[in-house]
Each structure stands twice: as C-alpha cells, then as structure tokens.
Amino acid sequence: GIQVEQSPPDLILQEGANSTLRCNFSDSVNNLQWFHQNPWGQLINLFYIPSGTKQNGRLSATTVATERYSLLYISSSQTTDSGVYFCADLEGGKLIFGQGTELSVKP
Amino acid sequence: GAVVSQHPSRVICKSGTSVKIECRSLDFQATTMFWYRQFPKQSLMLMATSNEGSKATYEQGVEKDKFLINHASLTLSTLTVTSAHPEDSSFYICSAIYEKLFFGSGTQLSVL
C-alpha cells in the first residue's frame, strides 16, 4: 500500500509567523486530504485536494500529483492553530494517514 | 453541517470489563462508518469499517472478538472493547462520510 510521509514532525512557531507543512507519498494519490487534530483530539477536515491549489482563509494547500507531494500553508499563525496536522489518502475506501506534524504556536 | 457524535468522551474501567463506545450521525444517514485507534503522539490507524446491516470489515491484525462492531441502524455504530486490558488503553475515533469525512470527538479509554 501507499506510504505517506510528513515533515517536519514537530514545529514551534511564534504567533503571526507563516509555515509550510509537507506530505510526500510513495505512489500516485487520487484523494489527498488534510486534517487538523486539535489538542483535545477533535479532527477537522481542512482540504480535499487531489491536485491543484485551494485556499480557505489563512490556510491554503497545494498538491502536485505528478511529483507525489502536497503542501499545507499556514499564514499569520494563531495559537488556535496548534495541534497535529495530518495528510491522508483515501485508498480503497480507507484513509491512509501520515504520521502528522505537531504544531505549537506560542503567543 | 453534518455532525458525528461519539460517546463517551472518556472512560476508565477495570481490567476484564467490557466497554461500549457509540458513534452517531446526527443529521445524515451513514451506511458506512469507520473506527480508528490512536496511541499518544501517533497517527490514526484504521481498525475496521462498519457497514449498516452487515458484518464489519476488520483490518489485518485487529481482533474481531476483542473489538466487536455493530452497525444496526443508519445512524448508529457501536464499538465494544471486550474483556479490556491495559494494552487496550487508547484514543478511539469514529468517522462517517457525508460529502466529505466527518469525525467524532473521540473516546479516551483507560483500562486499569
């Protein structure tokens, strides 16, 4: 099955800073998604982005399917952005998650 | 918007007891729900796919008799951890699809 690798594993930011999270995959992906898990465990679907670029407020994501990677951009980070960001591919009806990037935004 | 409700959010039990976790789709019908397990500082691992009216599909390495899944209606799936042991302590999360994937808020199980 497909392997999903995320980098960096951890990231500490000062409030207001920008960041880029990366997701590499070992094979073609068709249903790449980004999720945010807040410190209390709740998972939120951020983007469904099999290719191209999407933006939602301070967040945007880009997937370059031919090069097997996706990027999540967070601009003007806020403390509420803290948590773990996962990318995942929906393969055969199942979500295959990367290991996540744990983001901590300091005030 | 679509909401997936998971209950309880936290449970502490003695070793050997069974624990039931409920996952409900509140404003949509979900013929398929998914159960995940997450250890601290780790990613989510799919345990099983719950199908309404039929047997669940378990991932390799997941004990069917240990983790009983029942999806008796279009809005409710339950996961029962039978004869729980300390190694079953984990964060369990359910999800369902309604145009996109929605997750329950998770259940932290601690087995003493």
Side-chain angles (χ1 to χ4, degrees), chain A residues 33 35 37 40-46 84 86 90 93-95 97-100 102, chain B residues 34 36 38 41-46 49 59 91 93 97 100-106:
Chain A
Q33 303 179 50
F35 299 90
Q37 187 173 34
W40 297 271
Q42 179 69 60
L43 275 154
I44 302 295
N45 192 319
L46 297 176
V84 183
F86 292 102
L90 188 63
K94 308 171 188 175
L95 270 178
F97 283 86
Q99 290 301 305
E102 185 166 6
Chain B
F34 304 91
Y36 295 86
Q38 185 179 31
K41 301 291 185 179
Q42 294 191 23
S43 186
L44 284 78
M45 296 298 296
L46 180 65
T49 302
E59 294 302 299
F91 191 61
I93 308 173
I97 295 175
K100 64 178 184 178
L101 201 62
F102 292 90
F103 290 88
S105 54

Side-chain angles (χ1 to χ4, degrees), chain B:
Chain B
V3 176
V4 174
S5 174
Q6 188 172 341
H7 178 81
S9 58
R10 181 178 295 272
V11 58
I12 301 172
C13 69
K14 293 182 178 180
S15 186
T17 60
S18 294
V19 175
K20 180 183 284 189
I21 303 169
E22 293 187 348
C23 182
R24 295 181 184 272
S25 56
L26 293 187
D27 50 3
F28 66 99
Q29 294 181 334
T31 55
T32 303
M33 291 185 178
F34 304 91
W35 288 95
Y36 295 86
R37 183 174 184 177
Q38 185 179 31
F39 290 106
K41 301 291 185 179
Q42 294 191 23
S43 186
L44 284 78
M45 296 298 296
L46 180 65
M47 299 175 64
T49 302
S50 170
N51 303 297
E52 188 268 335
S54 64
K55 292 183 178 180
T57 303
Y58 289 82
E59 294 302 299
Q60 189 173 6
V62 177
E63 300 177 59
K64 301 178 182 181
D65 296 332
K66 161 68 77 174
F67 301 101
L68 298 179
I69 291 173
N70 184 280
H71 195 152
S73 78
L74 286 170
T75 59
L76 175 64
S77 176
T78 61
L79 168 67
T80 301
V81 183
T82 62
S83 187
H85 291 287
E87 58 266 28
D88 299 323
S89 299
S90 187
F91 191 61
Y92 294 87
I93 308 173
C94 68
S95 70
I97 295 175
Y98 180 73
E99 297 181 358
K100 64 178 184 178
L101 201 62
F102 292 90
F103 290 88
S105 54
T107 298
Q108 182 64 54
L109 171 63
S110 300
V111 185
L112 305 178

Side-chain angles (χ1 to χ4, degrees), chain A residues 16-101:
Chain A
N18 303 326
S19 64
T20 301
L21 282 56
R22 187 178 180 104
C23 176
N24 290 326
F25 24 92
S26 60
D27 204 344
S28 301
V29 294
N30 298 310
N31 297 286
L32 198 283
Q33 303 179 50
W34 284 96
F35 299 90
H36 174 227
Q37 187 173 34
N38 69 20
W40 297 271
Q42 179 69 60
L43 275 154
I44 302 295
N45 192 319
L46 297 176
F47 292 103
Y48 170 72
I49 184 147
S51 64
T53 298
K54 289 185 178 178
Q55 181 157 6
N56 184 1
R58 295 181 296 102
L59 302 182
S60 65
T62 296
T63 295
V64 184
T66 54
E67 298 187 21
R68 302 179 182 174
Y69 73 89
S70 183
L71 303 174
L72 179 69
Y73 306 95
I74 304 174
S75 64
S76 303
S77 59
Q78 300 176 0
T79 56
T80 51
D81 295 331
S82 296
V84 183
Y85 290 82
F86 292 102
C87 62
D89 184 41
L90 188 63
E91 181 182 352
K94 308 171 188 175
L95 270 178
I96 309 299
F97 283 86
Q99 290 301 305
T101 291

